[in-house]
Amino acid sequence: MSTISKIEIGAFTNLFNRDGYVLNFSTNKFDVFTQNSVGMALCDHYGMSKGKSLTAYVNEANNNEVVKLLGDLLEYYELHYQSEIQASNGDIQNYYNKCREIMNRVKLNQTPLVVAGEILKEKFSSDYMSAQIDIMLKMQTENPTEAIGKSKELIESCCKTILEGNRVAVNKNWTVSQLVKETMTFLQVSTDNVGVTTTEASTVKAVLGNLHGIAGNIAKLRNAYGSGHGKGANFKGLTVRHAKLAVGSSVTLVTYLWETYEWRVLNNNPAV
């Protein structure tokens, strides 16, 4: 289960707290509800109003307990406040939509990176690519070495899909850096495509150059620490945070390349 931030908790308290009350609970019913949810009768424990007791609890309880109580309260709200939800009442509707989005992410462990991975799976519409993305995301914490290797493979697969799908010859001896360069050239987003008259041309070139550099550096990381090459008995892999850096970088690059490709197709660009 992923964590919930203080700012995100604020969205829930704004939805549930009604001028010191919590939804339509009486003090006794609120204590019964929270006792059943997290094993603590909040008003009895804190000796304060329902709203203040809820705020005190979410500020000091651990992440899992906070998620459990807020999730139960959200389900109660959805069951008893359908008319309010359907009324599309400005702030209330916004708070509810935000709370439901947060709870879906937290309970399903849908981090922004996981969400981006799901979007890419839909875009590629390929069983092979979907499997690659799933393995890569799963291995971040379970097997960082494998995740680093898969992050390089994802970039290669994306570039080959774009180029070969448009009858552009792919040299089997190209490094992943060369493969990305050819793809960016094909999509007309390489540094060579930025004219000197373009506003902030040097900045745009730097950003594109850094994107291109991601591929080469992930390949170097993979060669040294990722899967795909035999390792000696004294080999020590990198940590989860390094794997997440490699995976996050590859997803960023692949998302940019694929969305650029889709944009050019949509606009009937002659390059594609």
Side-chain angles (χ1 to χ4, degrees), residues 1-3 101-102 104-119 137 140-141 244 247:
M1 181 181 292
S2 59
T3 59
E101 176 188 324
I102 293 168
N104 287 344
R105 171 184 62 80
V106 171
K107 287 196 171 183
L108 297 176
N109 198 29
Q110 289 188 327
T111 64
L113 184 57
V114 170
V115 173
E118 290 299 317
I119 292 172
L137 294 173
Q140 286 180 110
T141 53
K244 288 183 176 180
V247 170

Side-chain angles (χ1 to χ4, degrees), residues 141-191:
T141 53
E142 296 182 9
N143 189 334
T145 298
E146 183 73 17
I148 292 170
K150 291 299 181 187
S151 65
K152 171 181 175 285
E153 292 175 25
L154 177 65
I155 295 172
E156 291 176 322
S157 296
C158 173
C159 292
K160 289 179 180 178
T161 299
I162 292 173
L163 294 176
E164 292 176 349
N166 290 275
R167 298 183 178 85
V168 177
V170 175
N171 189 321
K172 65 179 182 179
N173 295 319
W174 281 345
T175 64
V176 67
S177 183
Q178 289 173 311
L179 190 58
V180 170
K181 181 179 175 64
E182 291 296 324
T183 304
M184 294 181 77
T185 298
F186 172 72
L187 295 174
Q188 299 180 357
V189 291
S190 71
T191 54

Side-chain angles (χ1 to χ4, degrees), residues 40-113:
M40 181 187 292
L42 298 194
C43 291
D44 181 64
H45 177 81
Y46 291 106
M48 298 188 291
S49 69
K50 296 181 286 293
K52 289 182 178 179
S53 296
L54 175 61
T55 299
Y57 181 80
V58 297
N59 282 335
E60 67 180 34
N62 66 46
N63 180 76
N64 289 344
E65 291 169 336
V66 171
V67 170
K68 177 65 167 65
L69 179 55
L70 294 181
D72 288 345
L73 283 170
L74 186 60
E75 289 182 6
Y76 178 91
Y77 175 79
E78 291 173 330
L79 181 63
H80 294 87
Y81 284 78
Q82 274 301 310
S83 59
E84 185 173 280
I85 293 173
Q86 295 170 2
S88 300
N89 180 2
D91 289 341
I92 294 294
Q93 185 73 18
N94 290 335
Y95 284 135
Y96 167 69
N97 290 337
K98 184 63 177 177
C99 290
R100 175 38 66 195
E101 176 188 324
I102 293 168
M103 195 54 61
N104 287 344
R105 171 184 62 80
V106 171
K107 287 196 171 183
L108 297 176
N109 198 29
Q110 289 188 327
T111 64
L113 184 57

Side-chain angles (χ1 to χ4, degrees), residues 122-147:
E122 291 180 7
K123 288 179 180 295
F124 286 127
S125 298
S126 161
D127 289 342
Y128 172 75
M129 292 291 283
S130 293
Q132 292 289 95
I133 293 169
D134 283 339
I135 293 171
M136 181 181 69
L137 294 173
K138 186 172 185 287
M139 290 296 106
Q140 286 180 110
T141 53
E142 296 182 9
N143 189 334
T145 298
E146 183 73 17

Side-chain angles (χ1 to χ4, degrees), residues 30-31 33-42 45-46 57 60:
F30 186 61
D31 272 353
F33 184 91
T34 59
Q35 179 69 45
N36 290 334
S37 175
V38 292
M40 181 187 292
L42 298 194
H45 177 81
Y46 291 106
Y57 181 80
E60 67 180 34

